[in-house]
PDB file of all heavy atoms in Angstrom:
ATOM      1  N   GLU A 102       3.062   6.406  -2.437  1.00  0.00           N
ATOM      2  CA  GLU A 102       4.221   7.045  -2.934  1.00  0.00           C
ATOM      3  C   GLU A 102       4.089   7.387  -4.450  1.00  0.00           C
ATOM      4  O   GLU A 102       4.452   8.443  -4.896  1.00  0.00           O
ATOM      5  CB  GLU A 102       5.459   6.203  -2.715  1.00  0.00           C
ATOM      6  CG  GLU A 102       6.737   6.904  -3.031  1.00  0.00           C
ATOM      7  CD  GLU A 102       7.949   6.065  -2.635  1.00  0.00           C
ATOM      8  OE1 GLU A 102       7.811   5.215  -1.724  1.00  0.00           O
ATOM      9  OE2 GLU A 102       9.035   6.340  -3.212  1.00  0.00           O
ATOM     10  N   PHE A 103       3.510   6.460  -5.193  1.00  0.00           N
ATOM     11  CA  PHE A 103       3.256   6.681  -6.628  1.00  0.00           C
ATOM     12  C   PHE A 103       2.276   7.814  -6.810  1.00  0.00           C
ATOM     13  O   PHE A 103       2.479   8.659  -7.701  1.00  0.00           O
ATOM     14  CB  PHE A 103       2.779   5.407  -7.244  1.00  0.00           C
ATOM     15  CG  PHE A 103       2.597   5.480  -8.741  1.00  0.00           C
ATOM     16  CD1 PHE A 103       3.719   5.576  -9.553  1.00  0.00           C
ATOM     17  CD2 PHE A 103       1.380   5.486  -9.329  1.00  0.00           C
ATOM     18  CE1 PHE A 103       3.598   5.707 -10.922  1.00  0.00           C
ATOM     19  CE2 PHE A 103       1.249   5.566 -10.676  1.00  0.00           C
ATOM     20  CZ  PHE A 103       2.366   5.683 -11.504  1.00  0.00           C
ATOM     21  N   TRP A 104       1.226   7.879  -6.037  1.00  0.00           N
ATOM     22  CA  TRP A 104       0.255   8.960  -6.158  1.00  0.00           C
ATOM     23  C   TRP A 104       0.876  10.297  -5.827  1.00  0.00           C
ATOM     24  O   TRP A 104       0.636  11.288  -6.508  1.00  0.00           O
ATOM     25  CB  TRP A 104      -0.955   8.671  -5.243  1.00  0.00           C
ATOM     26  CG  TRP A 104      -1.961   9.769  -5.295  1.00  0.00           C
ATOM     27  CD1 TRP A 104      -2.242  10.682  -4.348  1.00  0.00           C
ATOM     28  CD2 TRP A 104      -2.796  10.104  -6.409  1.00  0.00           C
ATOM     29  NE1 TRP A 104      -3.214  11.545  -4.776  1.00  0.00           N
ATOM     30  CE2 TRP A 104      -3.591  11.230  -6.038  1.00  0.00           C
ATOM     31  CE3 TRP A 104      -2.949   9.575  -7.692  1.00  0.00           C
ATOM     32  CZ2 TRP A 104      -4.489  11.798  -6.903  1.00  0.00           C
ATOM     33  CZ3 TRP A 104      -3.855  10.176  -8.524  1.00  0.00           C
ATOM     34  CH2 TRP A 104      -4.642  11.244  -8.117  1.00  0.00           C
ATOM     35  N   ASN A 105       1.738  10.343  -4.818  1.00  0.00           N
ATOM     36  CA  ASN A 105       2.426  11.568  -4.491  1.00  0.00           C
ATOM     37  C   ASN A 105       3.372  12.017  -5.599  1.00  0.00           C
ATOM     38  O   ASN A 105       3.507  13.202  -5.896  1.00  0.00           O
ATOM     39  CB  ASN A 105       3.191  11.435  -3.167  1.00  0.00           C
ATOM     40  CG  ASN A 105       2.269  11.410  -1.966  1.00  0.00           C
ATOM     41  OD1 ASN A 105       1.160  11.965  -2.000  1.00  0.00           O
ATOM     42  ND2 ASN A 105       2.692  10.749  -0.914  1.00  0.00           N
ATOM     43  N   PHE A 106       4.045  11.039  -6.217  1.00  0.00           N
ATOM     44  CA  PHE A 106       4.890  11.334  -7.380  1.00  0.00           C
ATOM     45  C   PHE A 106       4.096  11.974  -8.479  1.00  0.00           C
ATOM     46  O   PHE A 106       4.491  12.979  -9.106  1.00  0.00           O
ATOM     47  CB  PHE A 106       5.564  10.060  -7.849  1.00  0.00           C
ATOM     48  CG  PHE A 106       6.220  10.183  -9.169  1.00  0.00           C
ATOM     49  CD1 PHE A 106       7.453  10.791  -9.276  1.00  0.00           C
ATOM     50  CD2 PHE A 106       5.634   9.700 -10.344  1.00  0.00           C
ATOM     51  CE1 PHE A 106       8.135  10.941 -10.499  1.00  0.00           C
ATOM     52  CE2 PHE A 106       6.258   9.829 -11.571  1.00  0.00           C
ATOM     53  CZ  PHE A 106       7.512  10.460 -11.628  1.00  0.00           C
ATOM     54  N   LEU A 107       2.919  11.399  -8.790  1.00  0.00           N
ATOM     55  CA  LEU A 107       2.053  11.936  -9.840  1.00  0.00           C
ATOM     56  C   LEU A 107       1.593  13.364  -9.531  1.00  0.00           C
ATOM     57  O   LEU A 107       1.542  14.196 -10.408  1.00  0.00           O
ATOM     58  CB  LEU A 107       0.835  11.031 -10.097  1.00  0.00           C
ATOM     59  CG  LEU A 107       1.145   9.641 -10.653  1.00  0.00           C
ATOM     60  CD1 LEU A 107      -0.158   8.869 -10.778  1.00  0.00           C
ATOM     61  CD2 LEU A 107       1.782   9.765 -12.022  1.00  0.00           C
ATOM     62  N   LYS A 108       1.225  13.604  -8.266  1.00  0.00           N
ATOM     63  CA  LYS A 108       0.751  14.916  -7.890  1.00  0.00           C
ATOM     64  C   LYS A 108       1.871  15.968  -7.993  1.00  0.00           C
ATOM     65  O   LYS A 108       1.650  17.071  -8.526  1.00  0.00           O
ATOM     66  CB  LYS A 108       0.211  14.891  -6.455  1.00  0.00           C
ATOM     67  CG  LYS A 108      -1.147  14.342  -6.374  1.00  0.00           C
ATOM     68  CD  LYS A 108      -1.840  14.639  -5.029  1.00  0.00           C
ATOM     69  CE  LYS A 108      -0.943  14.477  -3.858  1.00  0.00           C
ATOM     70  NZ  LYS A 108      -1.597  14.551  -2.557  1.00  0.00           N
ATOM     71  N   ILE A 109       3.026  15.641  -7.470  1.00  0.00           N
ATOM     72  CA  ILE A 109       4.129  16.594  -7.434  1.00  0.00           C
ATOM     73  C   ILE A 109       4.677  16.889  -8.808  1.00  0.00           C
ATOM     74  O   ILE A 109       4.886  18.064  -9.180  1.00  0.00           O
ATOM     75  CB  ILE A 109       5.244  16.098  -6.485  1.00  0.00           C
ATOM     76  CG1 ILE A 109       4.734  16.104  -5.065  1.00  0.00           C
ATOM     77  CG2 ILE A 109       6.488  16.920  -6.630  1.00  0.00           C
ATOM     78  CD1 ILE A 109       5.657  15.398  -4.073  1.00  0.00           C
ATOM     79  N   ARG A 110       4.874  15.858  -9.620  1.00  0.00           N
ATOM     80  CA  ARG A 110       5.492  16.003 -10.933  1.00  0.00           C
ATOM     81  C   ARG A 110       4.491  16.351 -12.029  1.00  0.00           C
ATOM     82  O   ARG A 110       4.833  16.519 -13.189  1.00  0.00           O
ATOM     83  CB  ARG A 110       6.254  14.759 -11.320  1.00  0.00           C
ATOM     84  CG  ARG A 110       7.314  14.339 -10.319  1.00  0.00           C
ATOM     85  CD  ARG A 110       8.682  14.669 -10.803  1.00  0.00           C
ATOM     86  NE  ARG A 110       9.720  13.994 -10.059  1.00  0.00           N
ATOM     87  CZ  ARG A 110      10.244  14.455  -8.962  1.00  0.00           C
ATOM     88  NH1 ARG A 110       9.853  15.566  -8.435  1.00  0.00           N
ATOM     89  NH2 ARG A 110      11.241  13.772  -8.375  1.00  0.00           N
ATOM     90  N   LYS A 111       3.178  16.328 -11.693  1.00  0.00           N
ATOM     91  CA  LYS A 111       2.093  16.626 -12.645  1.00  0.00           C
ATOM     92  C   LYS A 111       2.126  15.681 -13.840  1.00  0.00           C
ATOM     93  O   LYS A 111       2.052  16.047 -14.988  1.00  0.00           O
ATOM     94  CB  LYS A 111       2.200  18.064 -13.157  1.00  0.00           C
ATOM     95  CG  LYS A 111       2.234  19.101 -12.137  1.00  0.00           C
ATOM     96  CD  LYS A 111       0.855  19.337 -11.532  1.00  0.00           C
ATOM     97  CE  LYS A 111       0.860  20.608 -10.680  1.00  0.00           C
ATOM     98  NZ  LYS A 111       0.721  20.352  -9.319  1.00  0.00           N
ATOM     99  N   LYS A 112       2.267  14.388 -13.550  1.00  0.00           N
ATOM    100  CA  LYS A 112       2.329  13.361 -14.570  1.00  0.00           C
ATOM    101  C   LYS A 112       1.082  12.520 -14.572  1.00  0.00           C
ATOM    102  O   LYS A 112       1.130  11.284 -14.539  1.00  0.00           O
ATOM    103  CB  LYS A 112       3.591  12.505 -14.429  1.00  0.00           C
ATOM    104  CG  LYS A 112       4.870  13.298 -14.612  1.00  0.00           C
ATOM    105  CD  LYS A 112       6.015  12.404 -14.907  1.00  0.00           C
ATOM    106  CE  LYS A 112       7.298  13.223 -15.038  1.00  0.00           C
ATOM    107  NZ  LYS A 112       7.445  13.862 -16.291  1.00  0.00           N
ATOM    108  N   PHE A 113      -0.081  13.129 -14.582  1.00  0.00           N
ATOM    109  CA  PHE A 113      -1.328  12.406 -14.521  1.00  0.00           C
ATOM    110  C   PHE A 113      -1.602  11.649 -15.803  1.00  0.00           C
ATOM    111  O   PHE A 113      -2.470  10.774 -15.807  1.00  0.00           O
ATOM    112  CB  PHE A 113      -2.479  13.382 -14.238  1.00  0.00           C
ATOM    113  CG  PHE A 113      -2.419  13.953 -12.861  1.00  0.00           C
ATOM    114  CD1 PHE A 113      -2.147  15.289 -12.659  1.00  0.00           C
ATOM    115  CD2 PHE A 113      -2.616  13.135 -11.757  1.00  0.00           C
ATOM    116  CE1 PHE A 113      -2.121  15.805 -11.397  1.00  0.00           C
ATOM    117  CE2 PHE A 113      -2.581  13.668 -10.490  1.00  0.00           C
ATOM    118  CZ  PHE A 113      -2.311  15.002 -10.267  1.00  0.00           C
ATOM    119  N   TRP A 114      -0.895  11.949 -16.872  1.00  0.00           N
ATOM    120  CA  TRP A 114      -1.080  11.206 -18.135  1.00  0.00           C
ATOM    121  C   TRP A 114      -0.609   9.754 -17.997  1.00  0.00           C
ATOM    122  O   TRP A 114      -0.936   8.948 -18.843  1.00  0.00           O
ATOM    123  CB  TRP A 114      -0.366  11.910 -19.284  1.00  0.00           C
ATOM    124  CG  TRP A 114       1.093  12.138 -18.992  1.00  0.00           C
ATOM    125  CD1 TRP A 114       1.666  13.237 -18.410  1.00  0.00           C
ATOM    126  CD2 TRP A 114       2.182  11.239 -19.339  1.00  0.00           C
ATOM    127  NE1 TRP A 114       3.032  13.067 -18.328  1.00  0.00           N
ATOM    128  CE2 TRP A 114       3.381  11.862 -18.907  1.00  0.00           C
ATOM    129  CE3 TRP A 114       2.252  10.012 -19.934  1.00  0.00           C
ATOM    130  CZ2 TRP A 114       4.594  11.236 -19.019  1.00  0.00           C
ATOM    131  CZ3 TRP A 114       3.486   9.409 -20.056  1.00  0.00           C
ATOM    132  CH2 TRP A 114       4.641  10.035 -19.636  1.00  0.00           C
ATOM    133  N   LEU A 115       0.131   9.408 -16.947  1.00  0.00           N
ATOM    134  CA  LEU A 115       0.575   8.071 -16.708  1.00  0.00           C
ATOM    135  C   LEU A 115      -0.565   7.149 -16.222  1.00  0.00           C
ATOM    136  O   LEU A 115      -0.469   5.926 -16.352  1.00  0.00           O
ATOM    137  CB  LEU A 115       1.739   8.019 -15.695  1.00  0.00           C
ATOM    138  CG  LEU A 115       3.070   8.569 -16.162  1.00  0.00           C
ATOM    139  CD1 LEU A 115       4.034   8.615 -15.022  1.00  0.00           C
ATOM    140  CD2 LEU A 115       3.626   7.683 -17.262  1.00  0.00           C
ATOM    141  N   LEU A 116      -1.589   7.728 -15.614  1.00  0.00           N
ATOM    142  CA  LEU A 116      -2.669   6.932 -15.052  1.00  0.00           C
ATOM    143  C   LEU A 116      -3.382   6.068 -16.114  1.00  0.00           C
ATOM    144  O   LEU A 116      -3.596   4.880 -15.837  1.00  0.00           O
ATOM    145  CB  LEU A 116      -3.666   7.822 -14.278  1.00  0.00           C
ATOM    146  CG  LEU A 116      -3.166   8.313 -12.923  1.00  0.00           C
ATOM    147  CD1 LEU A 116      -4.170   9.270 -12.372  1.00  0.00           C
ATOM    148  CD2 LEU A 116      -2.896   7.185 -12.023  1.00  0.00           C
ATOM    149  N   PRO A 117      -3.799   6.576 -17.230  1.00  0.00           N
ATOM    150  CA  PRO A 117      -4.454   5.708 -18.199  1.00  0.00           C
ATOM    151  C   PRO A 117      -3.568   4.564 -18.707  1.00  0.00           C
ATOM    152  O   PRO A 117      -4.054   3.456 -18.892  1.00  0.00           O
ATOM    153  CB  PRO A 117      -4.846   6.626 -19.372  1.00  0.00           C
ATOM    154  CG  PRO A 117      -4.829   7.987 -18.770  1.00  0.00           C
ATOM    155  CD  PRO A 117      -3.825   7.982 -17.674  1.00  0.00           C
ATOM    156  N   MET A 118      -2.303   4.848 -18.899  1.00  0.00           N
ATOM    157  CA  MET A 118      -1.401   3.781 -19.348  1.00  0.00           C
ATOM    158  C   MET A 118      -1.255   2.727 -18.271  1.00  0.00           C
ATOM    159  O   MET A 118      -1.246   1.548 -18.569  1.00  0.00           O
ATOM    160  CB  MET A 118      -0.021   4.363 -19.706  1.00  0.00           C
ATOM    161  CG  MET A 118      -0.002   5.153 -20.961  1.00  0.00           C
ATOM    162  SD  MET A 118       1.608   5.501 -21.615  1.00  0.00           S
ATOM    163  CE  MET A 118       2.460   6.196 -20.230  1.00  0.00           C
ATOM    164  N   LEU A 119      -1.114   3.117 -17.046  1.00  0.00           N
ATOM    165  CA  LEU A 119      -0.970   2.188 -15.933  1.00  0.00           C
ATOM    166  C   LEU A 119      -2.250   1.361 -15.805  1.00  0.00           C
ATOM    167  O   LEU A 119      -2.176   0.162 -15.578  1.00  0.00           O
ATOM    168  CB  LEU A 119      -0.679   2.941 -14.630  1.00  0.00           C
ATOM    169  CG  LEU A 119      -0.486   2.096 -13.415  1.00  0.00           C
ATOM    170  CD1 LEU A 119       0.822   1.301 -13.574  1.00  0.00           C
ATOM    171  CD2 LEU A 119      -0.383   2.956 -12.180  1.00  0.00           C
ATOM    172  N   PHE A 120      -3.361   2.010 -15.941  1.00  0.00           N
ATOM    173  CA  PHE A 120      -4.672   1.286 -15.856  1.00  0.00           C
ATOM    174  C   PHE A 120      -4.796   0.210 -16.936  1.00  0.00           C
ATOM    175  O   PHE A 120      -5.203  -0.909 -16.665  1.00  0.00           O
ATOM    176  CB  PHE A 120      -5.826   2.291 -15.953  1.00  0.00           C
ATOM    177  CG  PHE A 120      -7.166   1.637 -15.939  1.00  0.00           C
ATOM    178  CD1 PHE A 120      -7.645   1.107 -14.742  1.00  0.00           C
ATOM    179  CD2 PHE A 120      -7.947   1.572 -17.059  1.00  0.00           C
ATOM    180  CE1 PHE A 120      -8.906   0.463 -14.717  1.00  0.00           C
ATOM    181  CE2 PHE A 120      -9.167   0.955 -17.027  1.00  0.00           C
ATOM    182  CZ  PHE A 120      -9.649   0.419 -15.876  1.00  0.00           C
ATOM    183  N   MET A 121      -4.401   0.592 -18.190  1.00  0.00           N
ATOM    184  CA  MET A 121      -4.461  -0.381 -19.269  1.00  0.00           C
ATOM    185  C   MET A 121      -3.495  -1.520 -19.083  1.00  0.00           C
ATOM    186  O   MET A 121      -3.808  -2.671 -19.389  1.00  0.00           O
ATOM    187  CB  MET A 121      -4.219   0.320 -20.610  1.00  0.00           C
ATOM    188  CG  MET A 121      -5.318   1.298 -21.013  1.00  0.00           C
ATOM    189  SD  MET A 121      -6.929   0.571 -21.060  1.00  0.00           S
ATOM    190  CE  MET A 121      -6.808  -0.499 -22.462  1.00  0.00           C
ATOM    191  N   LEU A 122      -2.289  -1.265 -18.562  1.00  0.00           N
ATOM    192  CA  LEU A 122      -1.322  -2.345 -18.311  1.00  0.00           C
ATOM    193  C   LEU A 122      -1.868  -3.351 -17.268  1.00  0.00           C
ATOM    194  O   LEU A 122      -1.765  -4.538 -17.429  1.00  0.00           O
ATOM    195  CB  LEU A 122      -0.009  -1.763 -17.844  1.00  0.00           C
ATOM    196  CG  LEU A 122       0.862  -1.152 -18.967  1.00  0.00           C
ATOM    197  CD1 LEU A 122       2.062  -0.456 -18.316  1.00  0.00           C
ATOM    198  CD2 LEU A 122       1.321  -2.198 -19.909  1.00  0.00           C
ATOM    199  N   VAL A 123      -2.462  -2.784 -16.230  1.00  0.00           N
ATOM    200  CA  VAL A 123      -3.035  -3.649 -15.184  1.00  0.00           C
ATOM    201  C   VAL A 123      -4.199  -4.449 -15.719  1.00  0.00           C
ATOM    202  O   VAL A 123      -4.366  -5.622 -15.430  1.00  0.00           O
ATOM    203  CB  VAL A 123      -3.436  -2.798 -13.950  1.00  0.00           C
ATOM    204  CG1 VAL A 123      -4.290  -3.620 -12.979  1.00  0.00           C
ATOM    205  CG2 VAL A 123      -2.208  -2.245 -13.264  1.00  0.00           C
ATOM    206  N   LEU A 124      -5.044  -3.811 -16.532  1.00  0.00           N
ATOM    207  CA  LEU A 124      -6.174  -4.472 -17.100  1.00  0.00           C
ATOM    208  C   LEU A 124      -5.761  -5.615 -18.019  1.00  0.00           C
ATOM    209  O   LEU A 124      -6.289  -6.748 -17.906  1.00  0.00           O
ATOM    210  CB  LEU A 124      -7.039  -3.473 -17.906  1.00  0.00           C
ATOM    211  CG  LEU A 124      -8.331  -3.995 -18.464  1.00  0.00           C
ATOM    212  CD1 LEU A 124      -9.349  -4.277 -17.342  1.00  0.00           C
ATOM    213  CD2 LEU A 124      -8.910  -2.999 -19.438  1.00  0.00           C
ATOM    214  N   PHE A 125      -4.848  -5.376 -18.937  1.00  0.00           N
ATOM    215  CA  PHE A 125      -4.343  -6.437 -19.846  1.00  0.00           C
ATOM    216  C   PHE A 125      -3.618  -7.520 -19.070  1.00  0.00           C
ATOM    217  O   PHE A 125      -3.745  -8.703 -19.427  1.00  0.00           O
ATOM    218  CB  PHE A 125      -3.495  -5.889 -20.946  1.00  0.00           C
ATOM    219  CG  PHE A 125      -4.257  -5.236 -22.065  1.00  0.00           C
ATOM    220  CD1 PHE A 125      -3.952  -3.942 -22.479  1.00  0.00           C
ATOM    221  CD2 PHE A 125      -5.277  -5.923 -22.689  1.00  0.00           C
ATOM    222  CE1 PHE A 125      -4.669  -3.363 -23.470  1.00  0.00           C
ATOM    223  CE2 PHE A 125      -5.988  -5.332 -23.730  1.00  0.00           C
ATOM    224  CZ  PHE A 125      -5.721  -4.047 -24.092  1.00  0.00           C
ATOM    225  N   GLY A 126      -2.865  -7.153 -18.102  1.00  0.00           N
ATOM    226  CA  GLY A 126      -2.173  -8.164 -17.276  1.00  0.00           C
ATOM    227  C   GLY A 126      -3.142  -9.075 -16.558  1.00  0.00           C
ATOM    228  O   GLY A 126      -2.959 -10.298 -16.539  1.00  0.00           O
TER     229      GLY A 126
END
Side-chain angles (χ1 to χ4, degrees):
E102 188 173 337
F103 185 69
W104 179 250
N105 288 334
F106 169 78
L107 291 177
K108 281 194 318 189
I109 292 169
R110 304 256 195 273
K111 307 283 192 249
K112 297 199 182 279
F113 292 112
W114 55 270
L115 289 173
L116 285 176
M118 287 194 309
L119 182 67
F120 178 73
M121 292 306 290
L122 284 173
V123 168
L124 184 71
F125 280 128

